[in-house]
Amino acid sequence: MLKAYKFRIYPTKSQRTKMEQTLDLCRWTYNKTLEIRKNAWENEGKSLSKYETNNMLPEWKADKPELKDVFSQVLQNVHERVDLALKAFLRRVKAGEKPGYPRFRGRGRYDSFTYPQKGFKIDSGKLYLSKIGNIKINLHRPIEGKIKRLTVRRAATGKWYACFSVEIEDQPKPPWKDGTLVGIDVGLESFATLSNGEKISNPRFFREEEHELARAQRKLSKAPKGTPDRKKALKVVERVHERIANKRYEFAHQISNDLVKRFGLIAFEGLNIKGMTKNHCLAKSIHDVAWNMLVTLTSYKAERAGSMVVLVDPRNTSKMCSRCGILVQKDLSERFHNCTQCGLSVDRDWNAAINILRLGLQSVGIKTVEACPF
């Protein structure tokens, strides 16, 4: 399995200039590659591969010598990105979705470059990057496993990060016990409700910072374009967004760590977040709570720990009685499940979490464990 490590790096002024130039040359290569592949298809009906565009690099370097200042595999990775973008476009077309053709990247719209195999190393607390040099890196934890690739990313606030993709050995799956099985119902009133009755409150990070963000955005809108004041106001807006994202990310990490340490099988709802956000009354709150982030982080940590995460069909998990199985119709405003047949009266989220656990157990072929505690 693959695991990602992210570390803050601190380039010098000259190194930062080289990295900015690398980003701009990668952006030029991306646009050039997309243009050539687009024209080849429209004019000749020919689909070029990434290997064919890789063979064009020597000619491009002859016409644009500054490309020689970028490590060759970094430029080849740009071709891979274009290839993946076009494949994703064709996949969406075949699926009948609204495709959205890959866009050309404007200035400032390209923020990372990748060393796919070599051209980098860590030595004596420094990160060496080919064509750039030794950069100070904050290795706040050891890297376990074999490093496969490195992506250097520039954040919107101007900070730089090194993101390593590392290959580690798969962990054996331990036998599950009744106490290590859990179903989780995510929501807006409570961030999550567990099938054992525990509730995790919703921190609402965006809502907490909303007024400060609005104030910063008002100053940005009033600042004339192209002025130092506008750049300063933009940086304030970006810092507020970064602070919200960091809080949300840290919270999801803490919750996912706790879940993986305590449970061997974790069942979530397989929610259609994109469809849910079409409800404009709830869209902001749904984006703020970031359920997908929790599922993603829990999934990879569970795999590393030898546990399992399963996604179940969310249909009727809130309506179905966890004791007798009949469907009880209820509005979103009704916070309790009251069954007219068996008389069960319980918090609706807890009832849904128990149903999610039952469906999760069925999906892995376990039908002997009693999910309902009532």
Side-chain angles (χ1 to χ4, degrees):
M1 64 172 287
L2 295 176
K3 184 177 181 179
Y5 288 87
K6 181 179 177 181
F7 302 100
R8 177 86 181 272
I9 57 176
Y10 301 88
T12 62
K13 187 174 182 180
S14 61
Q15 289 171 340
R16 194 180 302 114
T17 300
K18 289 181 182 178
M19 292 160 73
E20 296 281 357
Q21 290 173 347
T22 299
L23 286 177
D24 199 51
L25 289 169
C26 286
R27 181 182 67 86
W28 181 90
T29 305
Y30 185 97
N31 290 341
K32 181 74 172 177
T33 307
L34 183 59
E35 178 190 6
I36 288 176
R37 293 189 62 165
K38 182 174 182 287
N39 291 339
W41 176 256
E42 291 178 348
N43 299 333
E44 304 173 28
K46 181 180 178 182
S47 178
L48 296 178
S49 69
K50 63 180 178 182
Y51 304 105
E52 291 175 292
T53 54
N54 282 343
N55 293 332
M56 298 178 185
L57 279 174
E59 182 182 343
W60 296 356
K61 289 180 180 180
D63 296 336
K64 195 176 178 66
E66 53 265 40
L67 288 174
K68 297 177 183 178
D69 295 330
V70 182
F71 187 60
S72 59
Q73 289 193 1
V74 170
L75 295 178
Q76 291 170 12
N77 176 260
V78 175
H79 293 165
E80 184 179 348
R81 294 187 185 192
V82 176
D83 190 63
L84 290 173
L86 289 170
K87 285 180 179 177
F89 166 74
L90 293 174
R91 185 176 63 249
R92 291 192 296 271
V93 170
K94 291 178 181 178
E97 302 175 12
K98 187 176 180 181
Y101 195 81
R103 297 181 180 182
F104 292 96
R105 304 294 183 91
R107 187 173 296 276
R109 294 287 182 177
Y110 202 96
D111 57 9
S112 69
F113 56 91
T114 298
Y115 292 82
Q117 293 176 327
K118 56 184 180 179
F120 63 93
K121 65 179 179 180
I122 299 175
D123 186 28
S124 303
K126 298 278 188 176
L127 172 64
Y128 170 76
L129 299 179
S130 179
K131 305 288 187 176
I132 295 173
N134 291 305
I135 304 174
K136 182 181 177 183
I137 181 171
N138 180 19
L139 291 168
H140 57 270
R141 58 175 174 161
I143 299 177
E144 301 174 358
K146 182 180 179 181
I147 299 175
K148 303 296 288 184
R149 64 167 49 199
L150 165 67
T151 297
V152 179
R153 188 177 70 84
R154 179 189 61 192
T157 52
K159 298 175 183 177
W160 289 87
Y161 295 92
C163 305
F164 297 91
S165 180
V166 178
E167 186 177 59
I168 58 177
E169 294 182 1
D170 292 341
Q171 299 296 311
K173 300 285 188 297
W176 299 310
K177 299 178 182 178
D178 290 0
T180 64
L181 309 174
V182 69
I184 300 176
D185 177 67
V186 293
L188 297 178
E189 187 164 322
S190 296
F191 177 75
T193 303
L194 279 58
S195 55
N196 60 9
E198 294 181 34
K199 279 186 175 288
I200 301 171
S201 59
N202 186 357
R204 296 182 171 86
F205 295 118
F206 182 83
R207 297 289 185 180
E208 287 182 355
E209 302 270 5
E210 192 171 14
H211 293 297
E212 185 171 350
L213 179 61
R215 184 164 55 248
Q217 287 174 329
R218 283 196 296 270
K219 289 183 179 179
L220 175 63
S221 65
K222 293 176 182 177
K225 291 184 178 181
T227 62
D229 286 343
R230 187 171 181 86
K231 289 183 180 180
K232 185 178 178 181
L234 178 60
K235 202 164 189 177
V236 174
V237 172
E238 289 169 343
R239 282 176 177 168
V240 176
H241 277 297
E242 183 183 55
R243 186 165 63 244
I244 296 170
N246 287 343
K247 286 181 179 179
R248 187 181 294 128
Y249 193 56
E250 178 66 18
F251 176 75
H253 266 301
Q254 291 174 352
I255 299 301
S256 58
N257 269 331
D258 180 63
L259 292 174
V260 170
K261 287 178 181 177
R262 294 169 56 196
F263 304 106
L265 184 141
I266 305 166
F268 287 103
E269 293 174 287
L271 296 172
N272 177 14
I273 305 297
K274 187 175 181 180
M276 295 173 69
T277 53
K278 291 181 180 179
N279 183 340
H280 299 294
C281 297
L282 300 176
K284 186 186 292 186
S285 296
I286 291 172
H287 284 304
D288 187 19
V289 79
W291 296 318
N292 270 347
M293 183 183 293
L294 175 66
V295 175
T296 301
L297 295 179
T298 306
S299 297
Y300 90 77
K301 289 177 182 177
E303 188 175 356
R304 178 74 178 95
S307 303
M308 178 181 286
V309 169
V310 295
L311 300 179
V312 305
D313 190 341
R315 286 181 296 178
N316 296 326
T317 52
S318 294
K319 297 178 182 179
M320 184 178 293
C321 179
S322 58
R323 179 189 285 173
C324 66
I326 72 162
L327 298 183
V328 180
Q329 299 296 328
K330 55 177 78 72
D331 296 327
L332 284 174
S333 59
E334 297 180 54
R335 301 313 306 166
F336 262 79
H337 167 82
N338 296 301
C339 182
T340 55
Q341 180 164 310
C342 67
L344 176 63
S345 181
V346 67
D347 180 88
R348 67 174 290 160
D349 295 335
W350 189 5
N351 177 73
I354 296 167
N355 287 327
I356 292 167
L357 173 58
R358 177 179 52 79
L359 293 172
L361 295 175
Q362 291 177 4
S363 70
V364 295
I366 302 177
K367 300 180 181 180
T368 58
V369 179
E370 185 65 36
C372 181
F374 309 115

